[in-house]
PDB file of all heavy atoms in Angstrom:
ATOM      1  N   ILE X 423     -27.397  52.245   6.168  1.00  0.00           N
ATOM      2  CA  ILE X 423     -28.136  53.368   6.765  1.00  0.00           C
ATOM      3  C   ILE X 423     -27.344  53.892   7.973  1.00  0.00           C
ATOM      4  O   ILE X 423     -26.915  53.110   8.820  1.00  0.00           O
ATOM      5  CB  ILE X 423     -29.558  52.913   7.211  1.00  0.00           C
ATOM      6  CG1 ILE X 423     -30.373  52.491   5.977  1.00  0.00           C
ATOM      7  CG2 ILE X 423     -30.264  54.001   7.999  1.00  0.00           C
ATOM      8  CD1 ILE X 423     -31.745  51.911   6.317  1.00  0.00           C
ATOM      9  N   ALA X 445     -36.845  42.464   9.333  1.00  0.00           N
ATOM     10  CA  ALA X 445     -35.462  42.877   9.597  1.00  0.00           C
ATOM     11  C   ALA X 445     -35.242  43.032  11.092  1.00  0.00           C
ATOM     12  O   ALA X 445     -36.048  43.649  11.784  1.00  0.00           O
ATOM     13  CB  ALA X 445     -35.172  44.201   8.893  1.00  0.00           C
ATOM     14  N   VAL X 447     -32.545  44.664  13.556  1.00  0.00           N
ATOM     15  CA  VAL X 447     -31.493  45.661  13.368  1.00  0.00           C
ATOM     16  C   VAL X 447     -30.859  46.041  14.706  1.00  0.00           C
ATOM     17  O   VAL X 447     -31.565  46.250  15.697  1.00  0.00           O
ATOM     18  CB  VAL X 447     -32.066  46.928  12.682  1.00  0.00           C
ATOM     19  CG1 VAL X 447     -30.989  47.972  12.485  1.00  0.00           C
ATOM     20  CG2 VAL X 447     -32.709  46.561  11.350  1.00  0.00           C
ATOM     21  N   ALA X 454     -29.920  56.512  17.620  1.00  0.00           N
ATOM     22  CA  ALA X 454     -31.344  56.212  17.781  1.00  0.00           C
ATOM     23  C   ALA X 454     -31.914  55.923  16.400  1.00  0.00           C
ATOM     24  O   ALA X 454     -31.732  56.727  15.482  1.00  0.00           O
ATOM     25  CB  ALA X 454     -32.055  57.395  18.425  1.00  0.00           C
ATOM     26  N   LEU X 455     -32.551  54.784  16.229  1.00  0.00           N
ATOM     27  CA  LEU X 455     -33.069  54.409  14.915  1.00  0.00           C
ATOM     28  C   LEU X 455     -34.598  54.453  14.933  1.00  0.00           C
ATOM     29  O   LEU X 455     -35.221  54.073  15.914  1.00  0.00           O
ATOM     30  CB  LEU X 455     -32.608  52.998  14.543  1.00  0.00           C
ATOM     31  CG  LEU X 455     -31.112  52.820  14.297  1.00  0.00           C
ATOM     32  CD1 LEU X 455     -30.792  51.339  14.081  1.00  0.00           C
ATOM     33  CD2 LEU X 455     -30.664  53.633  13.086  1.00  0.00           C
ATOM     34  N   ASP X 456     -35.144  54.902  13.817  1.00  0.00           N
ATOM     35  CA  ASP X 456     -36.593  54.957  13.681  1.00  0.00           C
ATOM     36  C   ASP X 456     -37.008  53.973  12.583  1.00  0.00           C
ATOM     37  O   ASP X 456     -36.708  54.194  11.403  1.00  0.00           O
ATOM     38  CB  ASP X 456     -36.998  56.393  13.318  1.00  0.00           C
ATOM     39  CG  ASP X 456     -38.464  56.471  12.949  1.00  0.00           C
ATOM     40  OD1 ASP X 456     -39.200  55.494  13.195  1.00  0.00           O
ATOM     41  OD2 ASP X 456     -38.869  57.514  12.396  1.00  0.00           O
ATOM     42  N   PRO X 457     -37.660  52.863  12.951  1.00  0.00           N
ATOM     43  CA  PRO X 457     -38.007  51.843  11.960  1.00  0.00           C
ATOM     44  C   PRO X 457     -38.744  52.403  10.739  1.00  0.00           C
ATOM     45  O   PRO X 457     -38.421  52.047   9.606  1.00  0.00           O
ATOM     46  CB  PRO X 457     -38.886  50.869  12.748  1.00  0.00           C
ATOM     47  CG  PRO X 457     -38.378  50.979  14.156  1.00  0.00           C
ATOM     48  CD  PRO X 457     -38.016  52.430  14.321  1.00  0.00           C
ATOM     49  N   ALA X 458     -39.693  53.295  10.972  1.00  0.00           N
ATOM     50  CA  ALA X 458     -40.468  53.811   9.840  1.00  0.00           C
ATOM     51  C   ALA X 458     -39.569  54.591   8.884  1.00  0.00           C
ATOM     52  O   ALA X 458     -39.654  54.451   7.655  1.00  0.00           O
ATOM     53  CB  ALA X 458     -41.605  54.689  10.345  1.00  0.00           C
ATOM     54  N   ALA X 459     -38.673  55.410   9.447  1.00  0.00           N
ATOM     55  CA  ALA X 459     -37.773  56.197   8.601  1.00  0.00           C
ATOM     56  C   ALA X 459     -36.819  55.268   7.848  1.00  0.00           C
ATOM     57  O   ALA X 459     -36.439  55.542   6.692  1.00  0.00           O
ATOM     58  CB  ALA X 459     -36.989  57.188   9.462  1.00  0.00           C
ATOM     59  N   MET X 460     -36.439  54.163   8.482  1.00  0.00           N
ATOM     60  CA  MET X 460     -35.537  53.226   7.804  1.00  0.00           C
ATOM     61  C   MET X 460     -36.225  52.624   6.582  1.00  0.00           C
ATOM     62  O   MET X 460     -35.653  52.543   5.494  1.00  0.00           O
ATOM     63  CB  MET X 460     -35.124  52.102   8.758  1.00  0.00           C
ATOM     64  CG  MET X 460     -34.211  52.591   9.868  1.00  0.00           C
ATOM     65  SD  MET X 460     -33.888  51.294  11.071  1.00  0.00           S
ATOM     66  CE  MET X 460     -32.937  50.201  10.097  1.00  0.00           C
ATOM     67  N   VAL X 461     -37.465  52.200   6.760  1.00  0.00           N
ATOM     68  CA  VAL X 461     -38.191  51.607   5.629  1.00  0.00           C
ATOM     69  C   VAL X 461     -38.357  52.653   4.530  1.00  0.00           C
ATOM     70  O   VAL X 461     -38.194  52.359   3.340  1.00  0.00           O
ATOM     71  CB  VAL X 461     -39.558  51.031   6.083  1.00  0.00           C
ATOM     72  CG1 VAL X 461     -40.332  50.505   4.887  1.00  0.00           C
ATOM     73  CG2 VAL X 461     -39.344  49.915   7.105  1.00  0.00           C
ATOM     74  N   ALA X 462     -38.622  53.892   4.943  1.00  0.00           N
ATOM     75  CA  ALA X 462     -38.792  54.948   3.944  1.00  0.00           C
ATOM     76  C   ALA X 462     -37.516  55.131   3.133  1.00  0.00           C
ATOM     77  O   ALA X 462     -37.559  55.296   1.907  1.00  0.00           O
ATOM     78  CB  ALA X 462     -39.187  56.255   4.637  1.00  0.00           C
ATOM     79  N   SER X 463     -36.353  55.071   3.777  1.00  0.00           N
ATOM     80  CA  SER X 463     -35.118  55.275   3.018  1.00  0.00           C
ATOM     81  C   SER X 463     -34.803  54.050   2.150  1.00  0.00           C
ATOM     82  O   SER X 463     -34.241  54.173   1.069  1.00  0.00           O
ATOM     83  CB  SER X 463     -33.959  55.644   3.947  1.00  0.00           C
ATOM     84  OG  SER X 463     -33.378  54.485   4.480  1.00  0.00           O
ATOM     85  N   LEU X 464     -35.206  52.867   2.603  1.00  0.00           N
ATOM     86  CA  LEU X 464     -34.978  51.661   1.787  1.00  0.00           C
ATOM     87  C   LEU X 464     -35.847  51.689   0.535  1.00  0.00           C
ATOM     88  O   LEU X 464     -35.480  51.156  -0.513  1.00  0.00           O
ATOM     89  CB  LEU X 464     -35.299  50.396   2.594  1.00  0.00           C
ATOM     90  CG  LEU X 464     -34.346  50.069   3.740  1.00  0.00           C
ATOM     91  CD1 LEU X 464     -34.891  48.892   4.558  1.00  0.00           C
ATOM     92  CD2 LEU X 464     -32.956  49.711   3.200  1.00  0.00           C
ATOM     93  N   PRO X 474     -38.803  45.413   4.174  1.00  0.00           N
ATOM     94  CA  PRO X 474     -39.230  44.719   5.394  1.00  0.00           C
ATOM     95  C   PRO X 474     -40.659  45.132   5.762  1.00  0.00           C
ATOM     96  O   PRO X 474     -40.987  46.312   5.740  1.00  0.00           O
ATOM     97  CB  PRO X 474     -38.236  45.206   6.457  1.00  0.00           C
ATOM     98  CG  PRO X 474     -37.076  45.757   5.700  1.00  0.00           C
ATOM     99  CD  PRO X 474     -37.604  46.234   4.384  1.00  0.00           C
ATOM    100  N   LYS X 475     -41.468  44.133   6.102  1.00  0.00           N
ATOM    101  CA  LYS X 475     -42.821  44.440   6.591  1.00  0.00           C
ATOM    102  C   LYS X 475     -42.728  44.890   8.054  1.00  0.00           C
ATOM    103  O   LYS X 475     -43.595  45.562   8.558  1.00  0.00           O
ATOM    104  CB  LYS X 475     -43.699  43.188   6.517  1.00  0.00           C
ATOM    105  CG  LYS X 475     -43.839  42.626   5.110  1.00  0.00           C
ATOM    106  CD  LYS X 475     -45.083  43.146   4.432  1.00  0.00           C
ATOM    107  CE  LYS X 475     -45.261  42.594   3.033  1.00  0.00           C
ATOM    108  NZ  LYS X 475     -44.094  42.681   2.144  1.00  0.00           N
ATOM    109  N   ARG X 476     -41.635  44.445   8.683  1.00  0.00           N
ATOM    110  CA  ARG X 476     -41.423  44.821  10.085  1.00  0.00           C
ATOM    111  C   ARG X 476     -39.940  45.016  10.319  1.00  0.00           C
ATOM    112  O   ARG X 476     -39.123  44.237   9.816  1.00  0.00           O
ATOM    113  CB  ARG X 476     -41.876  43.658  10.977  1.00  0.00           C
ATOM    114  CG  ARG X 476     -42.970  43.988  11.960  1.00  0.00           C
ATOM    115  CD  ARG X 476     -43.380  42.713  12.652  1.00  0.00           C
ATOM    116  NE  ARG X 476     -42.871  42.678  14.022  1.00  0.00           N
ATOM    117  CZ  ARG X 476     -42.809  41.574  14.753  1.00  0.00           C
ATOM    118  NH1 ARG X 476     -43.170  40.405  14.249  1.00  0.00           N
ATOM    119  NH2 ARG X 476     -42.363  41.627  15.983  1.00  0.00           N
ATOM    120  N   VAL X 477     -39.602  46.053  11.089  1.00  0.00           N
ATOM    121  CA  VAL X 477     -38.208  46.236  11.512  1.00  0.00           C
ATOM    122  C   VAL X 477     -38.185  46.134  13.034  1.00  0.00           C
ATOM    123  O   VAL X 477     -38.901  46.866  13.715  1.00  0.00           O
ATOM    124  CB  VAL X 477     -37.659  47.609  11.064  1.00  0.00           C
ATOM    125  CG1 VAL X 477     -36.274  47.846  11.655  1.00  0.00           C
ATOM    126  CG2 VAL X 477     -37.617  47.694   9.545  1.00  0.00           C
ATOM    127  N   ILE X 478     -37.407  45.197  13.529  1.00  0.00           N
ATOM    128  CA  ILE X 478     -37.346  44.985  14.981  1.00  0.00           C
ATOM    129  C   ILE X 478     -35.971  45.428  15.466  1.00  0.00           C
ATOM    130  O   ILE X 478     -34.945  44.983  14.924  1.00  0.00           O
ATOM    131  CB  ILE X 478     -37.572  43.494  15.304  1.00  0.00           C
ATOM    132  CG1 ILE X 478     -38.970  43.077  14.815  1.00  0.00           C
ATOM    133  CG2 ILE X 478     -37.395  43.212  16.793  1.00  0.00           C
ATOM    134  CD1 ILE X 478     -39.161  41.579  14.744  1.00  0.00           C
ATOM    135  N   LEU X 479     -35.938  46.309  16.453  1.00  0.00           N
ATOM    136  CA  LEU X 479     -34.645  46.748  16.993  1.00  0.00           C
ATOM    137  C   LEU X 479     -34.204  45.771  18.086  1.00  0.00           C
ATOM    138  O   LEU X 479     -35.019  45.335  18.897  1.00  0.00           O
ATOM    139  CB  LEU X 479     -34.758  48.166  17.561  1.00  0.00           C
ATOM    140  CG  LEU X 479     -35.186  49.239  16.540  1.00  0.00           C
ATOM    141  CD1 LEU X 479     -35.315  50.596  17.210  1.00  0.00           C
ATOM    142  CD2 LEU X 479     -34.191  49.321  15.376  1.00  0.00           C
TER     143      LEU X 479
END
Side-chain angles (χ1 to χ4, degrees):
I423 296 175
V447 180
L455 293 174
D456 171 12
M460 291 174 68
V461 176
S463 84
L464 291 173
K475 300 265 181 310
R476 239 175 106 196
V477 173
I478 299 165
L479 300 178

